[in-house]
Amino acid sequence: MQSVNRTRPSNDIILQNELAQRIADRQQQIATTRRIDRASDDPAAWSEISNIAKVQANMDAWLRNIDRGLSIAAQADGAMSEINSQLARATELLIQASNETISPVDLETIAQEVEGIGGTIADILGQDNGFGRPLFSDGPPLEIPIDDDIVAVAAPSKTGFNALAPLITNIANTIRTGDANQRSALLDPLRLQSDITANILGNHGIENDRLLQGAARLQDRKIDVSKYRASLEETDITLAITETQKLLINLEAAQAAYARIEQSSLFDQIR
């Protein structure tokens, strides 16, 4: 009888310590509102949370890409709009120069302004974006990853504007040395390039919308993923309080049982 009583108190103490630890854990969860702080709290949920964290990191990276892409796209939009304006001015000048009554002095003035337009367009196409890279690439257009297997074009390639420089140079030379008919013949090629630039600008607007839609889609997904992650790692306060109360009752019962065992052991020893 005595050997049994000697071992039972130690077991009861272990039980009380376990209950006290579980109570402390629940109180910590209530205080921090976090149910999981380490893998041992819930290995399966911890693994899932780790995977969710990677997904969230990817979404954050894609959103940063989109912000960068929108900045570049806005710069490209302004640049191409200015090219359009320059081409419209070149068309006006060419129409003026096609007048048979215009003086050689005026023709030279117009030719110089056309050359200035060519220089302005070259400067626009040669500028860097806000991140120190060419705004219009010499090769393929600048594509930016915005989701799994999804890219958007932040700025078109410079190759779409390759015909502008030689055309503007030809117009300036023809204004100086050609006749009215030769100058008039260049109106159609110039208008064609204006149309091409307008089409590039229109397609650029579509790509800009892809960036905006991608950002909206990712923001919605971020909210959903964050809610799901919170359901895994955050504490259900009501449930935690209920469990804590039950554990406190169990601890009080274990302490009372231990006290009775201790008292019984003492009486056995006295007898």
Side-chain angles (χ1 to χ4, degrees):
M1 182 70 176
Q2 284 183 337
S3 62
V4 173
N5 285 338
R6 288 193 192 100
T7 59
R8 286 186 62 184
S10 63
N11 292 333
D12 288 337
I13 290 174
I14 291 173
L15 174 61
Q16 291 176 50
N17 288 340
E18 289 177 349
L19 289 170
Q21 183 59 55
R22 291 173 65 187
I23 291 169
D25 289 343
R26 293 297 183 278
Q27 290 173 334
Q28 177 72 9
Q29 291 172 4
I30 294 169
T32 63
T33 71
R34 290 178 60 86
R35 185 177 70 87
I36 300 175
D37 280 319
R38 51 190 180 273
S40 58
D41 291 336
D42 188 334
W46 181 269
S47 176
E48 192 166 2
I49 290 169
S50 298
N51 291 331
I52 290 173
K54 295 175 184 177
V55 171
Q56 289 176 313
N58 286 339
M59 289 192 292
D60 287 338
W62 288 326
L63 283 169
R64 287 193 296 271
N65 284 351
I66 289 174
D67 285 341
R68 182 172 181 168
L70 287 170
S71 174
I72 294 172
Q75 185 181 352
D77 184 89
M80 289 185 288
S81 295
E82 179 59 25
I83 290 174
N84 250 348
S85 297
Q86 292 294 321
L87 292 176
R89 177 56 180 163
T91 301
E92 293 174 3
L93 293 171
L94 185 55
I95 291 172
Q96 292 178 26
S98 299
N99 189 331
E100 294 181 355
T101 62
I102 195 166
S103 69
V105 173
D106 290 338
L107 286 174
E108 177 59 28
T109 300
I110 292 173
Q112 289 179 10
E113 186 174 348
V114 169
E115 287 175 336
I117 289 173
T120 298
I121 292 175
D123 290 342
I124 292 171
L125 292 173
Q127 67 181 294
D128 286 344
N129 61 39
F131 303 94
R133 304 296 298 275
L135 178 60
F136 301 100
S137 67
D138 291 321
L142 176 60
E143 293 183 336
I144 294 180
I146 62 171
D147 208 330
D148 280 323
D149 302 321
I150 300 177
V151 297
V153 176
S157 170
K158 191 188 295 183
T159 57
F161 306 96
N162 280 348
L164 289 180
L167 176 60
I168 296 296
T169 299
N170 187 27
I171 290 172
N173 291 336
T174 303
I175 289 173
R176 283 195 176 96
T177 62
D179 57 32
N181 289 332
Q182 291 172 324
R183 292 191 285 272
S184 295
L186 291 174
L187 281 170
D188 284 343
L190 182 55
R191 286 168 178 153
L192 175 61
Q193 290 305 311
S194 295
D195 290 342
I196 290 173
T197 300
N199 286 336
I200 294 173
L201 186 55
N203 290 332
H204 178 69
I206 294 173
E207 291 296 326
N208 189 74
D209 287 343
R210 279 170 59 83
L211 288 167
L212 293 172
Q213 291 166 6
R217 184 171 57 250
L218 283 170
Q219 291 291 0
D220 288 342
R221 282 171 55 197
K222 275 194 70 174
I223 293 172
D224 292 339
V225 171
S226 295
K227 287 180 178 178
Y228 181 58
R229 177 172 177 173
S231 72
L232 291 174
E233 68 182 352
E234 292 185 4
T235 303
D236 183 332
I237 300 297
T238 301
L239 178 61
I241 291 174
T242 300
E243 290 178 345
T244 301
Q245 291 171 340
K246 290 179 179 179
L247 290 169
L248 285 169
I249 292 171
N250 291 339
L251 178 59
E252 290 173 359
Q255 289 171 337
Y258 176 70
R260 288 195 299 272
I261 293 170
E262 281 289 281
Q263 187 176 22
S264 173
S265 298
L266 179 60
F267 288 153
D268 288 343
Q269 291 175 12
I270 292 174
R271 287 199 298 268

